[in-house]
Coordinates of all heavy atoms in Angstrom, one line a residue:
I5 N 91.5 -192.2 180.7 CA 92.6 -191.7 179.9 C 92.2 -191.7 178.4 O 92.5 -190.8 177.7 CB 93.9 -192.5 180.1 CG1 94.4 -192.4 181.5 CG2 95.0 -192.1 179.1 CD1 95.5 -193.3 181.9
L13 N 96.3 -186.2 180.1 CA 97.7 -186.3 179.7 C 98.2 -185.2 178.8 O 98.7 -185.4 177.7 CB 97.9 -187.7 178.9 CG 97.8 -189.0 179.7 CD1 98.0 -190.2 178.8 CD2 98.8 -189.0 180.9
A24 N 89.2 -191.6 172.0 CA 87.8 -192.1 171.7 C 87.1 -191.2 170.7 O 86.0 -191.6 170.3 CB 87.0 -192.2 173.0
R69 N 101.1 -189.7 166.4 CA 100.5 -189.3 165.1 C 99.1 -188.8 165.2 O 98.9 -187.6 165.0 CB 100.5 -190.6 164.2 CG 101.9 -191.1 163.9 CD 101.8 -192.6 163.4 NE 103.1 -193.2 163.3 CZ 103.8 -193.3 162.2 NH1 103.3 -192.8 161.1 NH2 104.9 -193.9 162.2
N72 N 99.4 -186.2 167.7 CA 100.5 -185.3 167.5 C 101.3 -185.1 168.7 O 101.8 -183.9 168.9 CB 99.9 -184.0 166.9 CG 101.0 -183.1 166.4 OD1 102.0 -183.6 165.7 ND2 100.9 -181.8 166.6
A79 N 106.7 -198.4 181.2 CA 106.5 -198.7 182.6 C 105.6 -197.8 183.3 O 105.4 -198.0 184.5 CB 107.9 -198.8 183.2
N84 N 100.1 -198.6 181.7 CA 99.5 -199.9 182.3 C 98.0 -199.8 182.5 O 97.3 -200.8 182.4 CB 100.3 -200.3 183.5 CG 101.6 -200.9 183.1 OD1 101.6 -202.0 182.5 ND2 102.7 -200.2 183.3
I86 N 96.0 -198.1 180.6 CA 95.4 -198.3 179.2 C 95.4 -199.7 178.9 O 94.4 -200.3 178.4 CB 96.2 -197.5 178.2 CG1 96.0 -196.0 178.4 CG2 95.8 -197.9 176.8 CD1 96.9 -195.1 177.4
S102 N 91.1 -212.0 165.6 CA 90.6 -210.6 165.3 C 89.1 -210.7 165.3 O 88.5 -211.5 164.6 CB 91.1 -210.2 163.9 OG 92.4 -209.8 163.9
I109 N 85.6 -200.5 158.1 CA 85.0 -201.2 157.0 C 85.8 -201.1 155.7 O 86.6 -200.2 155.6 CB 83.5 -200.7 156.7 CG1 83.5 -199.3 156.4 CG2 82.6 -201.0 157.9 CD1 82.2 -198.8 155.7
Y126 N 81.4 -181.5 152.3 CA 81.8 -181.1 153.6 C 80.9 -179.9 154.1 O 80.4 -180.0 155.3 CB 83.3 -180.6 153.6 CG 83.7 -180.2 155.0 CD1 84.1 -181.2 155.9 CD2 83.6 -178.9 155.4 CE1 84.5 -180.8 157.2 CE2 84.0 -178.5 156.7 CZ 84.4 -179.5 157.6 OH 84.7 -179.2 158.9
C130 N 79.0 -181.8 157.1 CA 80.0 -181.9 158.1 C 80.2 -180.6 158.9 O 80.5 -180.5 160.1 CB 81.4 -182.4 157.6 SG 81.3 -183.7 156.3
H134 N 81.7 -179.7 162.6 CA 83.2 -179.6 162.6 C 83.7 -178.2 162.2 O 84.9 -178.0 162.2 CB 83.8 -180.7 161.7 CG 83.6 -182.1 162.3 ND1 84.3 -182.6 163.4 CD2 82.8 -183.1 161.9 CE1 83.9 -183.8 163.6 NE2 83.1 -184.2 162.7
T146 N 87.4 -178.2 176.6 CA 87.6 -179.4 175.7 C 86.7 -179.2 174.5 O 85.7 -178.4 174.5 CB 87.3 -180.7 176.5 OG1 87.5 -181.8 175.5 CG2 85.9 -180.8 177.0
P151 N 88.2 -181.1 166.0 CA 88.7 -180.5 164.7 C 89.1 -181.5 163.7 O 89.5 -182.6 164.0 CB 89.9 -179.7 165.1 CG 90.4 -180.3 166.4 CD 89.2 -180.9 167.1
W153 N 91.0 -180.4 160.8 CA 92.3 -180.0 160.3 C 92.7 -178.8 161.2 O 92.1 -178.4 162.1 CB 92.3 -179.7 158.8 CG 91.5 -178.6 158.2 CD1 91.9 -177.3 158.1 CD2 90.2 -178.6 157.7 NE1 91.0 -176.6 157.5 CE2 89.9 -177.3 157.2 CE3 89.3 -179.7 157.5 CZ2 88.7 -177.1 156.6 CZ3 88.1 -179.4 156.9 CH2 87.8 -178.1 156.4
M164 N 94.5 -191.6 159.9 CA 93.3 -190.8 159.5 C 93.7 -189.7 158.4 O 92.8 -189.2 157.8 CB 92.7 -190.1 160.7 CG 91.3 -189.6 160.5 SD 90.1 -190.9 160.1 CE 89.5 -191.4 161.7
K175 N 82.5 -193.2 156.2 CA 81.4 -193.9 155.6 C 80.6 -194.6 156.7 O 79.4 -194.6 156.7 CB 81.8 -194.9 154.5 CG 80.7 -195.8 154.1 CD 80.6 -196.0 152.7 CE 79.2 -196.8 152.4 NZ 79.1 -197.6 151.3
R203 N 97.7 -179.3 158.3 CA 97.6 -180.0 159.6 C 99.1 -180.1 160.1 O 100.0 -179.9 159.4 CB 97.0 -181.3 159.5 CG 97.6 -182.3 158.5 CD 96.8 -183.6 158.4 NE 95.5 -183.4 157.9 CZ 94.4 -183.3 158.7 NH1 94.5 -183.4 160.0 NH2 93.2 -183.2 158.2

Side-chain angles (χ1 to χ4, degrees):
I5 294 171
L13 292 177
R69 299 158 187 267
N72 191 39
N84 283 293
I86 291 175
S102 283
I109 58 162
Y126 183 83
C130 319
H134 292 289
T146 179
W153 67 88
M164 196 63 90
K175 166 136 193 210
R203 59 182 62 264

